[in-house]
Amino acid sequence: MAKKAASSHMTLLERVLGGVFFVLYFVALPFVTDPLFTELSRLLGRDLPDNVCNLIVYYLLFSLTLMIFWNYLEHTTRRFFSNFWKTMGAVCAGLVAFYGLNELSCRVFDLFLGNMTNLNDVAISAQMHDAPRSTMMIVLFLAPFVEDMLFRGYLFGNLRPVNCALAYTVSCLLFAFLHVWQFVVIRRDLSYLPLMLQYLAPGLAFAWTYEKSGTLWGSVLLHAMVNALAVWVIL
């Protein structure tokens, strides 16, 4: 049942447009936003604050996600309300699994790689100091919604019927790679690659919760909760 629920309600158009969206989000977005906002600032004759630029980007991503995956989102939302308690049970189990896996992985990685700084936590901490309200909107709602739609709803959901292990492996590895590869490319330093290991536990927990709940909102809720607790620790 979970296999079918996680993958069989996305139209061909959603798969095609979603694939283009995924590639642009993963590959192009990190490198085109700064030049675009630099040009926009020049045209407006004033510098745009970073928090405003971030909000614009994520609201655009949010809007595109709604437009591209409208049919899928309608179906997965109906499943959420019809299986509310099942979804909440999966979210709670996913939260326990996340912290168990995260604690275990951190101890193992610290043993072999030393204490690894989470570069995204550093960036979020700085953004929270400068613009707490807009950063909270992105971290707690916009980013979990967009990322889970692409990595769980689209990638995992379409690979799951082919092979379960493949779906978990590809979605978790790409989700982890997303959070570090910009640092690797921009700074031309492969030593940042091991930092992706920090994101394997959340990627696995989010994918498992998505599969067990049968609705995207299960993984979105878990993702938002994990981010909220991380922000609380940072503050």
Side-chain angles (χ1 to χ4, degrees), residues 167-181:
Y168 274 101
T169 300
V170 173
S171 64
C172 291
L173 285 177
L174 288 183
F175 179 70
F177 192 50
L178 170 74
H179 290 82
V180 302
W181 82 279

Side-chain angles (χ1 to χ4, degrees), residues 8-30:
S8 60
H9 296 280
M10 191 172 290
T11 66
L12 177 61
L13 182 61
E14 285 176 318
R15 290 191 179 101
V16 172
L17 293 179
V20 175
F21 183 33
F22 182 89
V23 171
L24 291 176
Y25 175 82
F26 194 95
V27 177
L29 183 66

Side-chain angles (χ1 to χ4, degrees), residues 6 14 18-19 23-24 37 58 65 73 81 95 98 115 118 121 125-126 133 145-146 150 162 189 206 212 219 234:
E14 285 176 318
V23 171
L24 291 176
F37 280 115
Y58 273 97
T65 302
L73 288 168
F81 286 113
L95 186 63
F98 163 74
N115 187 25
N118 190 309
D121 283 352
S125 179
R133 286 185 294 182
F145 176 73
V146 173
L150 291 176
V162 178
D189 189 349
F206 299 158
K212 295 306 177 183
S219 59
I234 291 172

Side-chain angles (χ1 to χ4, degrees), residues 109-167:
F109 299 149
D110 287 350
L111 180 64
F112 291 100
L113 300 173
N115 187 25
M116 297 187 299
T117 301
N118 190 309
L119 299 176
N120 288 284
D121 283 352
V122 173
I124 291 173
S125 179
Q127 293 168 12
M128 284 293 298
H129 180 270
D130 296 333
R133 286 185 294 182
S134 60
T135 302
M136 291 287 282
M137 174 64 73
I138 293 171
V139 171
L140 300 186
F141 179 67
L142 297 176
F145 176 73
V146 173
E147 290 181 0
D148 278 276
M149 182 64 251
L150 291 176
F151 287 92
R152 263 62 69 177
Y154 180 78
L155 190 61
F156 181 90
N158 284 298
L159 288 176
R160 178 64 178 82
V162 178
N163 184 279
C164 180
L166 178 67

Side-chain angles (χ1 to χ4, degrees), residues 190-226:
L190 293 177
S191 66
Y192 287 101
L193 276 179
L195 297 175
M196 68 182 288
L197 299 175
Q198 297 172 320
Y199 293 93
L200 293 180
L204 180 61
F206 299 158
W208 181 89
T209 302
Y210 169 65
E211 182 180 27
K212 295 306 177 183
S213 66
T215 172
L216 180 73
W217 296 110
S219 59
V220 171
L221 284 172
L222 177 59
H223 196 160
M225 291 170 64
V226 167

